[in-house]
């Protein structure tokens, strides 16, 4: 991996050679999350926007392999991850007084959430490390993603999930044949447990943030957003050869903060390569019942000054009392000039049918939170009419049918005859 200079601690800035540390900065223990540092000059010599424009999209995230922390000849799992659709959403934009709102539909990934991006990379890294078994703690989606990607690559996986996770996520996971242990505790408890178990059993650990490559998988969505904005027929923001378009603002639902940190990393890569000209403002959206990062942002705290808070929200995928990628998550918003926003569970639930009815995209609560955050930003005057805005929809509504059912009215039951239908439809 001669395109990688090393791994840099997000607390002390110490840099390590890739082979010298396993996951975190030795000086800072489990909190010493590392950031992969690239040699952009080397990458520039290997890949360009023009080359990518001629490269097939059906390899998903692997079309960006020269920008990812993997060996060039490492085999990748067969399941197709990424290159998810970016839809223009004029009927969502208009009532908000906006002109250009786009939805990135990551529910279209193979296990139906954004987590596939990180798990695909983790599976490649696990195989590079010669591991037979991969493990992770998860609120549910990372579990399903790792189970699916591991199944496609023929790896074993053992996954720790809070026993309250939604049934659909547990069902996916078990069907993929992964070992699952339901933890009698919170996601934060499951996370701590996984650290101990992985060390004890010598398993490859995919835990979000703790494994520095998870955010590297997630950054691919930022690349796709820019490339898709540049070339979408009828909406192209083509900037000339060798350049991609960047949105003005991106709304990201935030739990552990790995997605938002990854999105920022992706844009930072593109700026460093000269492929985009400006950093989009990154807007982090949390559920009011799990808003540790909004608090820290408002109070001007650093990630390492944060402490565990209670977390309770219907949006299970963004329920995290002590967000694991808090350093990167705060940096993403601060350095990009974005903001953190809080939305209530009711606002999240209300957003599910609004998105569905105006775009056809069915979202789980955590994904809908991103759109609820856009509504909140407009109320607060934080989004301007002419801006190009992308809302990251991170997971499919099929992941949590129970929540969707809370947002709709039960259909009427009719006798199987025409008269009954006429009566219900109000026709004589
Ligand atoms: C995990 C997840 C998130 C939040 O990502 P973090 O990296 O934990 O901030 C948002 N939406 C969905 C659907 C997720 O699965
Ligand atoms: Zn450190």
């Amino acid at each position: 991996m001669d395109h990688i200079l090393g791994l840099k601690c997000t607390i002390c800035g110490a840099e390590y050679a890739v082979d010298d540390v396993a996951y975190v900065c030795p000086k800072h223990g489990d909190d010493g999350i590392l950031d992969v540092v690239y040699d952009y000059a080397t990458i520039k010599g290997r890949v360009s926007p023009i080359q990518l424009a001629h490269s097939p999209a059906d390899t998903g995230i692997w079309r960006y392999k020269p920008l990812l922390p993997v060996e060039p000849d490492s085999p990748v799992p067969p399941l197709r991850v990424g290159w998810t659709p970016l839809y223009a959403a004029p009927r969502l934009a208009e009532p908000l007084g906006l002109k250009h709102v786009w939805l990135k539909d990551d529910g279209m990934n193979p296990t139906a959430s954004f987590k596939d991006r990180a798990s695909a990379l983790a599976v490649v890294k696990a195989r590079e490390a010669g591991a037979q078994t991969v493990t992770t703690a998860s609120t549910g989606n990372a579990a399903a993603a790792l189970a699916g990607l591991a199944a496609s690559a023929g790896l074993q996986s053992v996954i720790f999930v809070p026993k309250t996770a939604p049934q659909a996520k547990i069902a996916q996971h078990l069907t993929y044949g992964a070992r699952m242990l339901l933890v009698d505790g919170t996601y934060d408890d499951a996370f701590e447990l996984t650290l101990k178990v992985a060390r004890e059993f010598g398993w490859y650990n995919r835990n979000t943030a703790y494994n520095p490559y998870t955010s590297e998988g997630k950054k691919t969505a930022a690349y796709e957003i820019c490339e898709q904005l540049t070339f979408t027929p009828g909406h192209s923001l083509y900037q000339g050869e060798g350049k991609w378009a960047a949105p003005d603002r991106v709304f990201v639902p935030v739990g552990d903060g790995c997605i938002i940190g990854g999105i920022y990393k992706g844009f930072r890569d593109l700026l460093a390569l000269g492929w985009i000209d400006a950093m989009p403002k990154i807007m982090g959206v949390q559920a009011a019942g799990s808003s540790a990062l909004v608090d820290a942002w408002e109070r001007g705290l650093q990630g390492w000054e944060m402490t565990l808070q209670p977390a309770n929200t219907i949006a299970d995928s963004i329920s995290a009392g002590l967000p694991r990628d808090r350093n990167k998550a705060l940096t993403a918003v601060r350095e990009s000039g974005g903001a953190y926003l809080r939305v209530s569970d009711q606002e999240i639930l209300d957003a599910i049918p609004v998105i569905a009815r105006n775009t056809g995209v069915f979202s789980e609560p955590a994904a809908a939170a991103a759109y609820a955050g856009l509504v909140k930003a407009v109320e607060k005057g934080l989004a301007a009419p002419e801006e190009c805005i992308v809302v990251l929809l991170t997971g499919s509504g099929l992941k949590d049918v129970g929540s969707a059912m809370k947002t709709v009215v039960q259909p009427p039951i009719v006798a199987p005859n025409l008269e009954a239908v006429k009566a219900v439809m109000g026709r004589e």
Side-chain angles (χ1 to χ4, degrees):
M1 297 199 295
D2 60 350
H3 62 305
I4 294 190
L5 299 173
L7 300 169
K8 183 172 178 177
C9 175
T10 54
I11 299 180
C12 68
E15 276 196 38
Y16 302 94
V18 168
D19 297 329
D20 288 355
V21 284
Y23 300 103
V24 285
C25 171
K27 284 184 240 166
H28 289 98
D30 295 340
D31 293 332
I33 307 301
L34 298 171
D35 185 36
V36 181
V37 183
Y38 290 90
D39 176 359
Y40 292 111
T42 298
I43 293 173
K44 261 184 133 157
R46 293 189 179 152
V47 62
S48 70
I50 295 167
Q51 268 170 293
L52 283 167
H54 296 103
S55 133
D58 61 7
T59 55
I61 63 171
W62 304 112
R63 64 196 268 101
Y64 307 115
K65 208 172 184 189
L67 293 121
L68 296 175
V70 297
E71 300 290 354
D73 54 357
S74 279
V76 301
L79 274 191
R80 199 193 92 171
V81 174
W83 203 258
T84 56
L86 182 73
Y87 296 121
R91 281 190 284 137
L92 280 183
E94 212 248 1
L96 297 174
L98 302 171
K99 296 219 174 92
H100 312 286
V101 173
W102 297 82
L103 302 182
K104 179 75 171 152
D105 183 12
D106 252 56
M108 290 292 286
N109 274 305
T111 77
S113 89
F114 195 101
K115 296 293 192 297
D116 287 332
R117 296 180 186 271
S119 290
L121 201 72
V123 160
V124 174
K125 297 310 285 180
R127 287 209 291 206
E128 283 181 359
Q132 303 296 317
T133 304
V134 203
T135 187
T136 196
S138 168
T139 57
N141 281 339
L146 183 58
L149 270 299
S152 89
L155 268 178
Q156 305 280 334
S157 57
V158 182
I159 300 173
F160 297 82
V161 174
K163 67 173 192 216
T164 52
Q167 282 296 308
K169 298 178 182 180
I170 295 177
Q172 265 186 303
H173 182 123
L174 292 172
T175 308
Y176 285 129
R179 261 321 268 283
M180 166 178 269
L181 287 95
L182 291 176
V183 178
D184 188 6
T186 62
Y187 168 64
D188 298 276
D189 296 329
F191 194 101
E192 294 297 332
L193 179 61
T194 312
L195 297 179
K196 290 187 199 133
V197 172
R199 272 193 281 263
E200 179 73 17
F201 296 167
W203 293 340
Y204 188 80
N205 192 332
R206 175 235 180 267
N207 267 10
T208 289
Y210 175 81
N211 182 316
Y213 301 114
T214 49
S215 48
E216 298 300 313
K218 291 176 175 182
K219 75 181 182 181
T220 52
Y223 301 165
E224 291 175 16
I225 288 169
C226 294
E227 201 177 356
Q228 290 171 322
L229 279 178
T230 308
F231 296 112
T232 301
H235 295 280
S236 170
L237 299 178
Y238 188 67
Q239 307 262 299
E241 288 208 352
K243 285 278 183 198
W244 283 349
D248 296 303
R249 225 174 260 283
V250 182
F251 285 80
V252 184
V254 180
D256 272 318
C258 185
I259 295 181
I260 197 166
I263 292 289
Y264 176 59
K265 179 65 173 289
F267 291 131
R268 235 171 58 207
D269 287 348
L270 299 181
L271 263 183
L273 290 164
W275 296 6
I276 62 172
D277 290 329
M279 174 58 73
K281 293 186 171 57
I282 299 180
M283 310 290 280
V285 184
Q286 293 208 286
S290 174
S291 54
L293 284 161
V294 192
D295 290 346
W297 183 75
E298 287 170 346
R299 294 166 57 200
L301 295 185
Q302 298 297 334
W304 52 90
E305 297 169 323
M306 293 171 64
T307 51
L308 180 65
Q309 295 189 6
N312 182 15
T313 166
I314 191 160
D316 59 292
S317 301
I318 50 172
S319 185
L322 183 62
R324 296 293 158 169
D325 232 349
R326 50 197 181 275
N327 302 340
K328 289 182 189 172
L330 287 169
T331 302
V333 167
R334 284 190 179 129
E335 309 251 304
S336 71
Y340 266 106
L341 297 156
R342 240 182 230 103
V343 292
S344 68
D345 277 7
Q346 192 57 51
E347 289 167 326
I348 291 172
L349 283 178
D350 292 345
I352 295 175
V354 174
I355 302 166
R357 287 164 200 190
N358 290 292
T359 69
V361 179
F362 186 25
S363 310
E364 70 162 273
Y371 170 73
L374 170 61
V375 175
K376 184 73 63 178
V378 169
E379 281 167 22
K380 292 184 163 215
L382 289 176
E386 299 296 331
E387 284 180 345
C388 172
I389 293 172
V390 174
V391 178
L392 205 60
L393 296 184
T394 44
S396 162
L398 293 173
K399 292 280 195 169
D400 184 359
V401 176
S403 289
M405 288 307 286
K406 292 190 181 132
T407 72
V408 292
V409 286
Q410 289 289 340
I413 295 172
V414 291
N417 63 63
L418 195 53
E419 295 314 311
V421 176
K422 279 185 173 170
V424 169
M425 301 304 284
R427 297 200 194 183
E428 291 309 313

